Amino acid sequence: MSTIKPPTMKDVAKAADVSLGTVSNVINGVPVRAASRQKVEKAIEELHYEVNACAQGFRKSKSDMIALIIPDTLNPFYGAFTNYVAEAVYARGLKLLLCCSHEQISNELSHLNLANQNKVNGVIALTYSDIGAYISENIPMVVFDRFFENRNIARVGSDNFSGACLAIEKLLEFGCKHPVYIRFHSIFPGESDKRRDGYLYACEKYGLEPDYLDMVDCGEYKGLLKKFIEDHKLPNGKLTFDGVFAHTDFHGYHFMRILQQEGYRVPEDVQIIGFDGIGKFGHAEDPVISSVCQPIRQLAEKCVESILEKDRSAVPSLTLLPVTYRYGGTTLDPKT
Amino acid sequence: MSTIKPPTMKDVAKAADVSLGTVSNVINGVPVRAASRQKVEKAIEELHYEVNACAQGFRKSKSDMIALIIPDTLNPFYGAFTNYVAEAVYARGLKLLLCCSHEQISNELSHLNLANQNKVNGVIALTYSDIGAYISENIPMVVFDRFFENRNIARVGSDNFSGACLAIEKLLEFGCKHPVYIRFHSIFPGESDKRRDGYLYACEKYGLEPDYLDMVDCGEYKGLLKKFIEDHKLPNGKLTFDGVFAHTDFHGYHFMRILQQEGYRVPEDVQIIGFDGIGKFGHAEDPVISSVCQPIRQLAEKCVESILEKDRSAVPSLTLLPVTYRYGGTTLDPKT
DNA sequence: CTGTTAGCGCTTTCAC
DNA sequence: GTGAAAGCGCTAACAG
């Protein structure tokens, strides 16, 4: 067990015959005389010196890490968001501390504690509870996709309201006369509630009778979807609706499966547009259904940008990014 | 900007009227007289003291972090693996440093450096190159799924050989007479090459004529798959094969799409079994195709376990976990 | 520009 | 068991 201790800045200083401060300056990009710089660089090279990030973090009370609190990375949407946050973080020379909460408030809080204890530069959170109150005042935080009012924490998300309108407009454009809305939502209020508001607004705007399923997500969605179909069946077997705006791709997809099981054709009898933009092999790969896509990469970028903004008064309290429609086989898009 | 400095162990010691060492002992679970312990705990409570993980890491030269080096978290397989590694890491009171390499060796190396600099307890790597040589001798490392010979680093993965045999056996069981194998592989050698070996072995064992496509993955797989179909078409339009073992679910899925475009029915005309066990909305959710599934959670668990084993001579240099078959709509499984 | 120096908060001896 | 004290490697403030 001959564990050789790695060289320190002191060793470098000695080898380069300069002072500790000079070595520090070279490493941190502080202007230094060319001759000294070269001596130091040579010594670093020869000794294979590497900064001790722990010591640095300790001294500066900053670990140069960003903590991402997210339910999991199994869900393709979360996986994609995590991926793009990571990219944005690396691009700024920082590290990513990944905190999966599995939607447990207790985990969210303990991870928040961890973030505090580790002196992270900031935390990006996609949480199921209003955890903002628990974070240290002096750690920048931004919440993504889940908005809790009554708190002064920066929020970043997609323009859900416009997205819902876009979905309805597309369905109408593709020939639907009676689009319905299917929603299973968390018991926690969030920004995605605006999708319902957008649906209602679009109905009013286009003179449609609102007709929608609005349930708390309970795992029993399949039965409820079947019942919804039953309730909308005419005596001749036809359905009273011909279009579906689904709150998420997941529910849109499963609704499609059930419709098909019952003998209806998608998109010929019923067209479906979901929300999120999930692909079968990860984001942006082979869409699962036609969908209103969230700009995940840009959302991640905005979150990191907002965390790193030095002038905290300059970060917008709300940033809403535009969404786009993408064909995914469940709609009758005209061949353009 | 009235940033109040958080309390330190010194503050706790003063408030509890004990020495610094005693506070440290309480925090680290070292036996302490009950009276002292209570005084300290009370002080911690009152001051809202929290350990400074940076200082701790600095002092101990251990950050209590595990670094995971993985191409990305977009791919559902990687996303799932990341998720389960995270769980296993948290369960042991550690943190996860996520390093996405995007398959760039330069990124892999720089993340490895980072892991070194941050005094991580170990690194788990799913890499595209033999980076083992670059890690500090005294940081435990385990490579997952990509095995490089000639190096003394612990390796964990699925039993690819048996998995390939299982796939062929299932195809035969479901009535196939002529199963082929479709493979697009990385230019780097890896454990998944054993899937080909398994296919060849199964062919020999069951008296089949091996017939397979073996190409370096180049993004042009669609054209190559079409050509493969063309090359296996009889004058009457039928195919010379009736079963496909695909190297991954991804390629199996796309082969299915192309077969369907050309008018063949899956699974009636051609049955397909992939490898990995990808679901449409993340791992274990609604399989994309019938598949030989990797036990991702257990693999992750094994990796973490291996990293944390104190007695390095006790960690197996190779751990192969068994795979299982799962129906996913592209095979003619008997209703059991 | 450069050298000197004082800690950052914690763990870990070492006497008592 | 407990207190005192010595740093871990680095940054930043200061004087030259």
Side-chain angles (χ1 to χ4, degrees):
Chain A
M1 204 60 180
S2 66
T3 321
I4 319 113
K5 271 207 339 184
T8 72
M9 272 179 57
K10 219 170 174 177
D11 299 322
V12 174
K14 202 174 297 168
D17 196 33
V18 296
S19 79
L20 216 100
T22 303
V23 178
S24 176
N25 287 338
V26 168
I27 284 168
N28 293 290
V30 176
V32 161
R33 188 154 44 92
S36 311
R37 149 160 285 115
Q38 274 164 17
K39 280 197 294 183
V40 171
E41 281 166 350
K42 181 158 161 288
I44 287 176
E45 188 77 20
E46 283 171 355
L47 296 173
H48 300 294
Y49 169 76
E50 279 185 9
V51 291
N52 179 332
C54 287
Q56 221 172 255
F58 165 52
R59 187 54 236 259
K60 296 196 302 189
S61 281
K62 274 263 114 52
S63 57
D64 288 341
M65 285 200 296
I66 299 280
L68 171 62
I69 301 180
I70 198 161
D72 58 69
T73 58
L74 289 172
N75 176 309
F77 182 77
Y78 298 148
F81 184 67
T82 301
N83 186 77
Y84 293 127
V85 166
E87 279 188 8
V89 164
Y90 304 152
R92 289 165 174 82
L94 302 173
K95 292 157 280 183
L96 184 64
L97 187 68
L98 181 63
C99 306
C100 296
S101 64
H102 294 274
E103 305 191 15
Q104 301 267 275
I105 298 190
S106 59
N107 290 334
E108 293 175 354
L109 291 180
S110 70
H111 278 130
L112 213 44
N113 251 325
L114 226 102
N116 266 317
Q117 291 169 7
N118 283 277
K119 312 295 179 193
V120 300
N121 296 36
V123 2
I124 297 171
L126 198 169
T127 73
Y128 283 92
S129 48
D130 187 353
I131 61 174
Y134 298 95
I135 192 154
S136 156
E137 287 287 325
N138 40 38
I139 295 189
M141 177 161 174
V142 43
V143 313
F144 169 64
D145 200 49
R146 303 277 143 67
F147 297 165
F148 309 104
E149 313 297 342
N150 84 330
R151 203 154 286 295
N152 188 28
I153 288 181
R155 302 171 292 159
V156 170
S158 290
D159 190 343
N160 289 280
F161 188 93
S162 302
C165 292
L166 177 61
I168 299 306
E169 281 163 6
K170 284 291 171 187
L171 286 172
L172 295 177
E173 181 188 332
F174 303 154
C176 287
K177 299 292 175 220
H178 301 289
V180 296
Y181 171 50
I182 296 292
R183 176 183 187 224
F184 292 88
H185 62 92
S186 148
I187 56 164
F188 300 105
E191 169 65 12
S192 67
D193 295 350
K194 303 264 162 64
R195 291 177 204 164
R196 186 201 44 205
D197 304 344
Y199 169 73
L200 295 175
Y201 172 83
C203 284
E204 180 149 359
K205 183 170 173 187
Y206 298 107
L208 303 166
E209 186 69 29
D211 184 359
Y212 60 100
L213 177 67
D214 190 2
M215 305 294 296
V216 166
D217 201 347
C218 57
E220 248 323 297
Y221 59 89
K222 286 190 183 176
L224 292 164
L225 290 173
K226 276 185 186 153
K227 183 164 182 311
F228 185 87
I229 292 172
E230 218 49 56
D231 292 347
H232 288 74
K233 219 178 247 182
L234 292 173
N236 64 5
K238 292 208 167 179
L239 297 171
T240 61
F241 61 89
D242 56 4
V244 176
F245 168 43
H247 193 70
T248 68
D249 286 348
F250 180 83
H251 292 111
Y253 171 78
H254 282 292
F255 198 32
M256 173 184 80
R257 295 293 298 264
I258 292 169
L259 282 167
Q260 288 172 337
Q261 271 171 230
E262 308 241 333
Y264 300 100
R265 292 168 306 161
V266 176
E268 293 82 357
D269 300 328
V270 180
Q271 299 187 56
I272 303 178
I273 293 183
F275 204 105
D276 279 348
I278 304 293
K280 288 202 190 69
F281 291 95
H283 180 243
E285 283 266 10
D286 229 67
V288 172
I289 60 173
S290 296
S291 179
V292 173
C293 303
Q294 300 202 49
I296 309 189
R297 168 174 253 137
Q298 290 84 338
L299 288 164
E301 186 68 32
K302 271 277 174 255
C303 286
V304 175
E305 191 182 307
S306 148
I307 287 292
L308 262 28
E309 171 61 61
K310 293 272 196 283
D311 177 8
R312 298 312 292 162
S313 69
V315 345
S317 62
L318 179 59
T319 305
L320 248 36
L321 263 37
V323 292
T324 51
Y325 167 77
R326 179 174 66 167
Y327 171 72
T330 57
T331 40
L332 295 168
D333 304 38
K335 308 277 176 281
T336 43
Chain B
M1 207 55 181
S2 67
T3 321
I4 319 112
K5 273 211 332 188
T8 71
M9 272 178 59
K10 218 173 177 174
D11 299 322
V12 175
K14 201 174 298 170
D17 196 34
V18 297
S19 79
L20 243 181
T22 304
V23 179
S24 176
N25 287 337
V26 169
I27 285 170
N28 293 290
V30 176
V32 160
R33 190 154 43 92
S36 311
R37 148 161 284 114
Q38 274 164 17
K39 279 196 295 181
V40 171
E41 280 166 351
K42 182 158 159 286
I44 287 176
E45 186 80 19
E46 283 172 355
L47 296 173
H48 301 293
Y49 169 77
E50 280 187 5
V51 291
N52 179 332
C54 286
Q56 222 173 250
F58 166 53
R59 187 55 236 257
K60 297 196 300 190
S61 283
K62 275 261 116 46
S63 57
D64 288 341
M65 285 198 297
I66 299 279
L68 171 62
I69 301 181
I70 198 162
D72 57 70
T73 59
L74 289 171
N75 176 308
F77 182 78
Y78 298 149
F81 184 67
T82 302
N83 186 78
Y84 294 126
V85 166
E87 278 186 9
V89 164
Y90 304 152
R92 289 163 172 84
L94 302 174
K95 295 158 277 183
L96 184 64
L97 186 66
L98 181 63
C99 305
C100 296
S101 63
H102 296 275
E103 306 190 14
Q104 301 268 275
I105 298 189
S106 59
N107 289 334
E108 292 175 353
L109 292 180
S110 69
H111 278 129
L112 214 43
N113 250 325
L114 223 99
N116 264 319
Q117 293 168 5
N118 283 277
K119 312 294 179 194
V120 301
N121 296 34
V123 1
I124 298 171
L126 197 168
T127 74
Y128 282 92
S129 47
D130 186 355
I131 60 175
Y134 298 95
I135 193 156
S136 156
E137 286 289 325
N138 39 39
I139 295 189
M141 177 161 175
V142 44
V143 314
F144 169 63
D145 200 48
R146 302 277 144 64
F147 297 165
F148 308 103
E149 313 297 343
N150 84 329
R151 203 153 287 295
N152 188 26
I153 289 181
R155 302 171 291 159
V156 170
S158 290
D159 190 342
N160 289 280
F161 188 93
S162 302
C165 292
L166 177 61
I168 299 306
E169 282 162 7
K170 284 292 171 186
L171 286 172
L172 294 178
E173 180 187 334
F174 303 155
C176 285
K177 299 293 174 220
H178 302 289
V180 296
Y181 171 49
I182 295 292
R183 177 183 186 222
F184 292 88
H185 63 94
S186 149
I187 56 166
F188 301 105
E191 170 65 14
S192 68
D193 295 349
K194 303 264 163 63
R195 290 176 204 164
R196 186 202 44 205
D197 305 343
Y199 168 73
L200 293 176
Y201 172 83
C203 283
E204 180 148 359
K205 182 169 174 189
Y206 298 108
L208 303 166
E209 185 68 30
D211 184 359
Y212 60 100
L213 178 66
D214 190 4
M215 304 293 298
V216 167
D217 202 347
C218 58
E220 246 325 297
Y221 60 89
K222 286 192 184 176
L224 292 165
L225 290 175
K226 276 185 187 154
K227 181 162 183 314
F228 185 87
I229 293 173
E230 216 50 53
D231 292 346
H232 288 74
K233 219 178 248 179
L234 292 172
N236 66 4
K238 291 209 169 179
L239 296 172
T240 61
F241 62 89
D242 56 3
V244 176
F245 168 44
H247 192 69
T248 67
D249 286 349
F250 181 82
H251 293 111
Y253 171 78
H254 283 291
F255 198 32
M256 173 185 79
R257 294 294 299 265
I258 292 170
L259 283 167
Q260 288 171 337
Q261 270 170 232
E262 308 240 334
Y264 299 100
R265 293 167 306 162
V266 175
E268 293 83 357
D269 300 328
V270 179
Q271 300 187 55
I272 302 178
I273 293 183
F275 204 104
D276 278 349
I278 304 292
K280 289 205 189 67
F281 291 94
H283 182 242
E285 281 268 10
D286 228 67
V288 172
I289 61 174
S290 295
S291 180
V292 174
C293 303
Q294 300 202 48
I296 309 190
R297 167 174 254 136
Q298 290 85 336
L299 288 164
E301 186 67 33
K302 271 280 175 251
C303 286
V304 175
E305 190 181 308
S306 148
I307 286 292
L308 262 29
E309 173 59 59
K310 291 273 198 279
D311 177 7
R312 298 312 292 162
S313 70
V315 346
S317 62
L318 178 59
T319 305
L320 247 35
L321 264 38
V323 293
T324 51
Y325 167 77
R326 179 174 67 167
Y327 171 72
T330 58
T331 39
L332 294 170
D333 305 37
K335 308 277 175 282
T336 44

